[in-house]
Amino acid sequence: MKSSCRWQRSRFPLPLFAAVLGLATMPMLAAPLDARGSATEIVFASGPDDIGIVQRLVDAFNESNRGAIHVTWRQMDRESDAHRRQLVQELSSGAGGIHLFASDVIWTAEFAKNRWVEDLTRRFYKTLDREAFLAPALESATYRLRIWGVPWHTDTGLLFYRKDMLAKSGFTAPPTTWEELSRMARKVMQDSGTRHGFVFQGAEYEGGAANAAEFIWSAGGELMTSRLTVTGAVLPGVTETDSVLVGSDAAARGLDIARKLVVDKASPAAVSSFREREALQAFLAGESVFLRSWPYVYGVLEQAGFTPNQFGVAPLPAASASGRSAGCLGGWNLMINTKSSKSERDAAWKLIRYLTAPAQQKRQARESGLLPVLRALYEDRDLGKQVPVMALGKQVLTSGLHARPISPFYSEISAVVARTFNRTLKGELSGTEAVELLDKELKAIVLRNR
Ligand code: GLC
């Protein structure tokens, strides 16, 4: 490991490897009661904090707001779908147990439409600079021209590869097309005796929907789009039209590419049951040459002792040499539960400002490898050296927006996409049959929700 490595082992006694694989769980830390006094107490909920950075930031915030605000961090489920279910239950019941929470980029429309979260537009423009944020990240927190969350960290699908294994088979660069990836994967499997070529997420859940979208986009296909129409200059009205665009040959081709990887044995049949955890586990154990995942994996690999000579990271392959690579936009925004009291909401806003300020964004990137949301940090050379995946993240995020559909009923859309992708991977549907089904089912969802 490089001496400049941002994670010093001694600072993280809990083996990250075990934590990421779910073999250990971080205990929820809370300050002693006497440190809280009559402070405004708020609960901040987000996904697992494997390396403890969130707790460290919350502790620092509590320290500098001693006596005024006290934040308790609550761990939500690792998986986006389960995390959403926990939140929806909490928010729709009108409970105020969670005041501030991390929201996946795909939930903005649903949470905003149901008014479960505070409209942050005024607070945002009063104190923050729109231009300071990465545009795709801020767009993901916007619905019907209003801002409902402040971007916290951003994400995109990337290709991780074993540089050493590729070199052994005579390859000097990662693949740029899916076909090339398949050929390289099979050659390395033969030469190095590696069990799998390429692992990704094909299980029936949100990650599967993101992978499906990437295959479809990389072949030039689309899923669906939302168009806003703004009417009336004095009292503007906003209407939204959802159009399903999935029934194209290009979309079918994208799904066929995924299935062919399995048929050709470049990917194991088991990818249809893989989520982030199983795919990462295979790569960490040296059982796979290529892995599709999110940027946090870069930090996990470093922490697990992988050296820069052993692994690399690249944009996802395209369907053809002239095609486009399409990493799915992911990430998390900070939102405030509308059921909170005025003082709780003000305290939550203060924490949002703290977590999204340059110093904390920088520290979070340095210590966890999560991609920051502030544009200026991508020009910070020292940070770029300490978090090398940032350069690639920026390149992918600024080379065209590949966002999942923005819709208040996104969870219904996602379930259909993930199920259809999963069936295609198992060989139950051809690409053409899959997009016909998607077209029909997505149109039905749009009609049902009109
Ligand atoms: C990552 C992304 C998120 C996505 C999820 C899918 O957490 O940031 O946007 O929905 O993975 O598993």
Side-chain angles (χ1 to χ4, degrees), residues 361-379:
Q361 281 282 301
K362 205 167 164 168
R363 180 172 175 196
Q364 179 170 273
R366 217 188 298 117
E367 295 181 21
S368 71
L370 293 173
L371 296 182
V373 292
L374 300 177
R375 285 168 54 185
L377 296 186
Y378 289 82
E379 311 306 326

Side-chain angles (χ1 to χ4, degrees), residues 194-271:
T194 317
R195 192 161 162 217
H196 309 309
F198 173 48
V199 291
F200 55 96
Q201 298 84 33
E204 252 188 72
Y205 80 119
E206 186 51 45
N211 280 246
E214 287 171 343
F215 278 109
I216 290 174
W217 291 327
S218 78
E222 290 294 345
L223 270 170
M224 59 184 287
T225 181
S226 275
R227 271 191 214 95
L228 277 191
T229 315
V230 184
T231 47
V234 184
L235 277 177
V238 182
T239 52
E240 195 171 294
T241 325
D242 298 298
S243 317
V244 176
L245 305 172
V246 81
S248 69
D249 291 346
R253 206 163 45 244
L255 294 176
D256 280 334
I257 289 173
R259 167 66 185 158
K260 191 163 185 306
L261 288 166
V262 176
V263 171
D264 291 348
K265 299 202 165 30
S267 295
V271 281

